[in-house]
Amino acid sequence: MRALVLSGMALIAATYGLARFGYGLFLPRFTEAFQIGSAVSGLVQAGSFLSFCLAAVLASRLAARPRLVVVCAGTTAALGSAGVAAAPTVVVLAASVVLAGAGAGFATPGLVTLIEGNLAPARQESAQTVVNAGTGAGIVAAGILMLLTTEQWRLGWAAMATMVVLATVATLRADHSAHRAQAPEPPPRVRARDLASLARPVAAAALAGASSAAIWTFGRTVMATSRTGEETYSIAGWMVLGAFGVLGATAGKIVQVWSLRTAWNVTVVAMAVSTVVLGVAPGSPLAAYVSVAVFGAGYTALCGVLILWATRVVPERASAGTAALFIALAVGQAVGSVLLGVLMGSTTPVLAFAVAGLIGVLAVVPTLRHRPGNTSSGRTGAPSRTGIGEARD
């Protein structure tokens, strides 16, 4: 099912790397066109993250109909991107950014279920992390669009809408689970107590999300303002972030070799350190490019670890568990965007990014008193039922 993996990766690239995270890349252009400040910019991004949460909740309720969830992902991301392209006012821009953010909330749960329905268990963990790495590819594509449409950013967003539609159609065509003789039984209704074992991962994901908001929302802006008149410098930095984000496809192998806890702690600390470095030296090419490269690889790997965390702790409710962790990540990003937007407007980027880095380091706390889960089954490709969230002291 290579076609499904590749098309799924393209859908993640379009909904995450383009429609969702493209806002941070194009923020300097939006600031010029609509005269918006840091606080408002943070609020708009927060709205995008919250729409992601609402979409993920709805996706979990539609888990028995993954094709519909994928259609919702493509529809919201495409309409939102088209709305940005045509936005006459900041209000329309904000509403469109929020709608575009919902696409990613639908995409991940839908693809998790499609992969489970099309691939053998031994191939699912690897496939999930490869698909998830599409975020990095999408960010690179967004950078290319930015370079090609520097003075015509609306054309860039129109192109994004088109790419979302193409990726959605390709994913639906690659899915063969709906043609099987016996349709799978609908999953049981998920209740909050069914996901209680994910309490610690939820807390960790929220903290990591709040920390990541610094670079996702303001990373390109601080690089651009540090070297006025050299816009290519900051766009190239964004593309470096995306290119190294593709390395996140190795998350599955990292978890198999180490453990969920080690993989999580390494990636989240690396992200936190890179955030601080970018805040301190956004105008230094070596420091800035290395920091965004580490952040890109770390963030994508971190998302891959969250997917594996959910599938191992609650394997019978993998889609709902994944949605819960990604919702926590997005809620953290929403809160972080607002907090850091206020700090950016009232203090300095150095302080704001330092606070973000500290929050990121705190994301290891929920794992400290727990032993790594049993990853032996991960070596054979079968998901383990033991993860950080359910390990015993």
Side-chain angles (χ1 to χ4, degrees):
M1 283 294 157
R2 183 176 299 176
L4 178 61
V5 173
L6 292 178
S7 60
M9 187 177 184
L11 183 61
I12 291 297
T15 55
Y16 277 83
L18 295 173
R20 187 184 184 200
F21 291 132
Y23 173 77
L25 171 64
F26 283 80
L27 182 56
R29 281 286 178 264
F30 297 152
T31 300
E32 294 173 359
F34 298 101
Q35 299 299 309
I36 55 178
S38 297
V40 174
S41 299
L43 285 172
V44 173
Q45 184 76 303
S48 174
F49 290 139
L50 290 178
S51 72
F52 172 97
C53 298
L54 294 176
V57 170
L58 181 56
S60 66
R61 294 182 178 277
L62 297 173
R65 304 177 66 186
R67 290 176 64 86
L68 175 59
V69 175
V70 168
V71 169
C72 290
T75 301
T76 52
L79 289 178
S81 298
V84 171
T89 66
V90 67
V91 174
V92 176
L93 172 73
S96 299
V97 169
V98 170
L99 179 61
F106 284 114
T108 295
L111 288 170
V112 166
T113 305
L114 285 187
I115 288 174
E116 288 178 341
N118 283 273
L119 273 66
R123 299 176 57 192
Q124 289 177 13
E125 284 197 353
S126 176
Q128 299 285 16
T129 52
V130 170
V131 168
N132 179 68
T135 298
I139 291 171
V140 173
I144 294 174
L145 284 176
M146 184 69 180
L147 288 174
L148 295 176
T149 61
T150 302
E151 302 300 327
Q152 299 292 332
W153 57 266
R154 294 180 186 275
L155 291 179
W157 280 83
M160 289 184 191
T162 302
M163 295 169 73
V164 169
V165 172
L166 293 175
T168 303
V169 172
T171 300
L172 294 173
R173 288 175 60 86
D175 169 40
H176 298 295
S177 61
H179 303 298
R180 292 178 180 175
Q182 184 176 1
E185 295 183 3
R189 185 180 181 84
V190 179
R191 294 162 296 186
R193 66 172 180 241
D194 296 328
L195 303 178
S197 55
L198 289 175
R200 285 178 178 270
V202 163
L207 290 168
S211 175
S212 72
I215 288 182
W216 283 132
T217 307
F218 302 108
R220 223 275 276 185
T221 298
V222 297
M223 290 183 70
T225 55
S226 69
R227 296 172 74 96
T228 305
E230 299 180 33
E231 189 171 38
T232 302
Y233 165 73
S234 58
I235 297 175
W238 195 263
M239 294 172 68
V240 168
L241 188 159
F244 277 82
V246 177
L247 295 178
T250 62
K253 297 185 183 299
I254 292 174
V255 170
Q256 291 171 8
V257 173
W258 295 341
S259 67
L260 279 167
R261 182 176 68 181
T262 301
W264 173 264
N265 290 346
V266 168
T267 53
V268 79
V269 170
M271 283 173 51
V273 172
S274 65
T275 298
V276 175
V277 171
L278 184 63
V280 172
S284 170
L286 178 60
Y289 286 171
V290 169
S291 65
V292 295
V294 172
F295 177 86
Y299 183 86
T300 310
L302 177 144
C303 291
V305 171
L306 287 179
I307 293 173
L308 300 185
W309 207 339
T311 57
R312 292 189 177 191
V313 176
V314 286
E316 68 286 355
R317 297 178 178 84
S319 179
T322 299
L325 295 187
F326 274 67
I327 287 171
L329 184 72
V331 168
Q333 289 170 328
V335 174
S337 292
V338 174
L339 171 63
L340 297 172
V342 172
L343 288 177
M344 288 282 291
S346 59
T347 58
T348 65
V350 174
L351 178 59
F353 277 56
V355 170
L358 175 60
I359 294 172
V361 172
L362 293 177
V364 307
V365 173
T367 73
L368 292 181
R369 295 185 58 197
H370 285 246
R371 297 172 183 171
N374 178 15
T375 60
S376 59
S377 60
R379 299 177 191 279
T380 63
S384 167
R385 290 179 175 268
T386 308
I388 303 174
E390 66 177 4
R392 296 291 182 263
D393 291 334

